[in-house]
Amino acid sequence: MSDTVIQVKNLSKKYIIGHQQQEHYTALRDVIAHGTKNLIKSFKNQNSNVNNYQEDFWALQDVSFEIKQGDRVGIIGRNGAGKSTLLKILSRITEPTKGRINIKGRVASLLEVGTGFHPELTGRENIFLNGAILGMSKVEIQRKFDEIVAFAEVEKFLDTPVKRYSSGMYVRLAFAVAAHLEPEILVVDEVLAVGDAQFQKKCLGKMEDVAENQGRTVLFVSHNMNALSTLCQSAILIEKGQIKYQGNVFDAIEKYLVSYSVDDSKEISQYRLNKNLKDIYFKSVEMISGNTQVLFKETIGFEISILAEKKIENISIGGTIFNSMGNPIGAFVSNVVAVEPKKITTIKLEIAKLNLSPGMYYMGFSIGEGNFMNTSRIDYDIIIGYPRFEILPFNEQENIGVWNPAWGNIVLNECLVETLAFIQ
């Protein structure tokens, strides 16, 4: 018997988008006249607005994949890529336009805050209501009731109508019901972002337990790459309604982040955090080699040009290296320099023998007054996400530098190993 629990073949979903062309300025007399014309046209069975037109929008196009029992699969992509549409189809909330889906087992979905809850009912009543919607018997719900309440941490408000719950309480109770009522497939959208950090950690642990120890399947949509890499073994990357990659979660995250951030344009303004610039700011940041691919343990350098509006005696440049998941993994700083007004100052920064494992990285830079380590330092300009570079292994034929992502990004110096004699 096959252990495939979700099989999707050539799935497509089309929506009809209505557009209405409007004038930039409309007076009251125009509204009255336009309404009168439309009323006359309706009596004549004519189109009520010739300026209206419709457009076909394919949220998903020819999507195919299979998921095995017990898999923890992340679904990632930009906003509007089609992730939520896919989950709604899998949860039978909406019907596909084309294609076929085979699902083996009961599906519990948590796609929006308070999905399946009635605002006028209490937390206690909604546990039974939501459980019934998920196909559970009253006996099953009663058996799991205490675990659900304890996990959601809403004992004090159990007999309060959920319309008075905060969004975080909504999520806690909704997730607790979905996770504890033993569905074969648990589908979770971005809603966990509403909860606090402690509850998110608890939810991730519960989903991991549901998959590993109970053999259930989890589909998890999130923009939190750390959460995805912690929970999921594999991932599906969706772009513009189509699957661009399916496989290892770390490879999927890297492809997503690279496709999301890489831009051939070298306009530094698109990476700038502070839009209200004054006094001093970055003009350009370039890699000295001009090449965005760097060999493992090779020296890496940056040429940074800054422009000041006034004379400042003690300027320094701080740099931060981020890995492909957006985590800062190292920092460095330039010497303190003086800058002259209305003149471009160029500073070169180099890191010798960069001990980073092969993979994609990107930079962040800041211009500040005073020492980089000083807590009172003032940052005038900050850019994050540029330039990006890739660390390559020494020799691809020897497969040097193929790291397991769990080992981390920093390759430490060689350690001294001393073998001691064994005493019989």
Side-chain angles (χ1 to χ4, degrees), residues 389-402:
F389 59 91
E390 181 181 9
I391 301 293
L392 302 177
F394 274 131
N395 188 331
E396 293 184 359
Q397 293 180 348
E398 296 178 6
N399 210 27
I400 296 174
V402 180

Side-chain angles (χ1 to χ4, degrees), residues 174-337:
F175 180 86
V177 174
H180 283 81
L181 294 182
E182 300 181 353
E184 280 74 27
I185 301 168
L186 179 60
V187 178
V188 183
D189 206 340
E190 188 65 73
V191 293
L192 293 186
V194 179
D196 56 41
Q198 182 180 0
F199 182 72
Q200 289 182 37
K201 185 177 180 180
K202 183 194 284 191
C203 290
L204 291 173
K206 180 61 180 178
M207 287 190 286
E208 193 170 358
D209 175 68
V210 164
E212 281 192 357
N213 300 328
Q214 301 178 30
R216 306 185 190 279
T217 305
V218 176
L219 296 185
F220 183 40
V221 171
S222 179
H223 290 287
N224 186 331
M225 297 299 110
N226 286 329
L228 277 165
S229 61
T230 300
L231 172 69
C232 302
Q233 308 150 316
S234 61
I236 298 172
L237 173 60
I238 299 179
E239 288 184 10
K240 298 180 180 178
Q242 297 179 315
I243 292 180
K244 292 300 180 182
Y245 177 80
Q246 181 177 7
N248 180 273
V249 64
F250 293 101
D251 293 336
I253 289 172
E254 184 166 311
K255 291 178 184 296
Y256 164 67
L257 292 173
V258 169
S259 67
Y260 193 89
S261 60
V262 168
D263 193 332
D264 292 335
S265 170
K266 294 186 178 180
E267 281 291 328
I268 202 169
S269 59
Q270 64 181 317
Y271 306 104
R272 180 169 275 127
L273 294 187
N274 182 12
K275 303 300 182 182
N276 301 315
L277 298 174
K278 61 179 182 178
D279 296 333
I280 186 169
Y281 52 90
F282 290 106
K283 288 291 291 181
S284 66
V285 177
E286 304 294 341
M287 294 187 68
I288 291 176
S289 64
N291 188 357
T292 59
Q293 292 184 323
V294 182
L295 284 175
F296 174 66
K297 285 196 174 183
E298 190 176 33
T299 297
I300 187 171
F302 305 94
E303 186 172 287
I304 301 169
S305 296
I306 57 179
L307 178 63
E309 298 296 337
K310 65 179 183 179
K311 184 173 182 177
I312 307 176
E313 296 288 347
N314 56 342
I315 285 296
S316 62
I317 306 296
T320 304
I321 303 174
F322 297 87
N323 64 13
S324 60
M325 288 188 286
N327 299 319
I329 58 172
F332 54 91
V333 65
S334 72
N335 295 328
V336 174
V337 298

Side-chain angles (χ1 to χ4, degrees), residues 1-15:
M1 183 175 178
S2 173
D3 59 350
T4 299
V5 294
I6 299 178
Q7 186 180 55
V8 175
K9 289 186 177 180
N10 304 319
L11 184 69
S12 298
K13 177 63 178 179
K14 180 178 72 173
Y15 291 102

